[in-house]
Amino acid sequence: KEEAMRLVDAVYNRMIEIIDKQKTTVYAVAKNGCVPCSTIATMTRSKTVTLATIYGICLGLKISLKEFFDSPLFEEINITD
Protein backbone atom coordinates (compact mmCIF):
# COMPACT_ATOMS: atom_id res chain seq x y z
CA LYS A 1 0.00 0.00 0.00
CA GLU A 2 1.23 3.46 -0.88
CA GLU A 3 1.75 5.91 1.97
CA ALA A 4 -0.34 9.10 1.82
CA MET A 5 1.57 12.11 0.51
CA ARG A 6 1.09 15.63 -0.75
CA LEU A 7 -0.03 15.96 -4.36
CA VAL A 8 3.19 17.74 -5.33
CA ASP A 9 5.21 14.83 -3.90
CA ALA A 10 3.06 12.33 -5.81
CA VAL A 11 3.78 14.26 -9.02
CA TYR A 12 7.52 14.27 -8.30
CA ASN A 13 7.55 10.57 -7.39
CA ARG A 14 5.60 9.67 -10.54
CA MET A 15 8.06 11.66 -12.66
CA ILE A 16 11.02 9.83 -11.08
CA GLU A 17 9.25 6.48 -11.52
CA ILE A 18 8.85 7.12 -15.27
CA ILE A 19 12.38 8.54 -15.60
CA ASP A 20 13.78 5.36 -14.06
CA LYS A 21 11.61 3.18 -16.32
CA GLN A 22 12.71 5.10 -19.43
CA LYS A 23 16.35 5.16 -18.28
CA THR A 24 16.57 8.90 -18.86
CA THR A 25 17.49 11.83 -16.59
CA VAL A 26 15.73 14.72 -14.91
CA TYR A 27 17.93 17.05 -16.96
CA ALA A 28 16.82 15.46 -20.25
CA VAL A 29 13.16 15.64 -19.24
CA ALA A 30 13.50 19.29 -18.24
CA LYS A 31 15.36 20.18 -21.45
CA ASN A 32 12.97 18.29 -23.75
CA GLY A 33 9.90 19.64 -21.97
CA CYS A 34 11.16 23.24 -21.73
CA VAL A 35 10.82 23.15 -17.93
CA PRO A 36 13.55 24.97 -15.96
CA CYS A 37 15.70 22.48 -14.04
CA SER A 38 15.28 24.75 -11.01
CA THR A 39 11.50 24.21 -11.15
CA ILE A 40 11.96 20.46 -10.91
CA ALA A 41 14.71 20.77 -8.30
CA THR A 42 12.52 22.82 -5.97
CA MET A 43 9.30 20.90 -6.63
CA THR A 44 9.31 18.88 -3.42
CA ARG A 45 9.92 22.02 -1.34
CA SER A 46 6.91 23.70 -2.94
CA LYS A 47 3.32 23.39 -1.78
CA THR A 48 1.92 23.25 -5.32
CA VAL A 49 2.85 22.33 -8.86
CA THR A 50 1.25 23.93 -11.89
CA LEU A 51 -0.48 22.04 -14.64
CA ALA A 52 1.86 23.80 -17.09
CA THR A 53 4.85 22.27 -15.29
CA ILE A 54 3.27 18.81 -15.33
CA TYR A 55 2.46 19.24 -19.02
CA GLY A 56 6.09 20.20 -19.72
CA ILE A 57 7.30 17.16 -17.80
CA CYS A 58 4.97 14.99 -19.88
CA LEU A 59 6.37 16.51 -23.09
CA GLY A 60 9.87 15.78 -21.81
CA LEU A 61 8.88 12.20 -21.00
CA LYS A 62 7.05 11.87 -24.35
CA ILE A 63 3.86 10.68 -22.63
CA SER A 64 0.33 12.05 -22.31
CA LEU A 65 -1.13 13.65 -19.20
CA LYS A 66 -3.47 10.64 -19.07
CA GLU A 67 -0.51 8.26 -18.95
CA PHE A 68 1.20 10.40 -16.31
CA PHE A 69 -1.78 10.37 -13.97
CA ASP A 70 -2.57 6.68 -14.57
CA SER A 71 -0.95 5.58 -11.32
CA PRO A 72 -2.06 4.45 -7.87
CA LEU A 73 -0.09 7.44 -6.53
CA PHE A 74 -3.00 9.68 -7.56
CA GLU A 75 -5.81 7.69 -5.98
CA GLU A 76 -7.69 9.87 -3.51
CA ILE A 77 -6.79 7.65 -0.56
CA ASN A 78 -3.07 8.28 -1.23
CA ILE A 79 -3.21 12.11 -1.30
CA THR A 80 -3.19 14.19 1.88
CA ASP A 81 -4.01 17.58 0.33
Side-chain angles (χ1 to χ4, degrees):
K1 181 185 181 315
E2 301 288 339
E3 189 171 325
M5 66 183 79
R6 299 177 314 145
L7 184 57
V8 67
D9 294 325
V11 168
Y12 184 83
N13 289 344
R14 178 65 172 152
M15 178 189 68
I16 296 301
E17 187 178 88
I18 297 168
I19 284 171
D20 289 346
K21 187 176 175 183
Q22 292 185 356
K23 298 184 179 4
T24 188
T25 64
V26 171
Y27 175 78
V29 169
K31 185 174 180 230
N32 294 334
C34 298
V35 177
C37 284
S38 60
T39 298
I40 293 175
T42 60
M43 191 181 295
T44 58
R45 294 193 304 267
S46 302
K47 291 187 193 252
T48 61
V49 59
T50 67
L51 186 55
T53 296
I54 298 169
Y55 183 72
I57 289 168
C58 288
L59 288 176
L61 292 167
K62 297 177 177 63
I63 64 169
S64 69
L65 283 166
K66 183 178 180 180
E67 288 172 281
F68 186 83
F69 285 112
D70 185 17
S71 166
L73 288 172
F74 300 109
E75 290 176 9
E76 188 176 351
I77 194 165
N78 295 325
I79 302 297
T80 59
D81 65 349

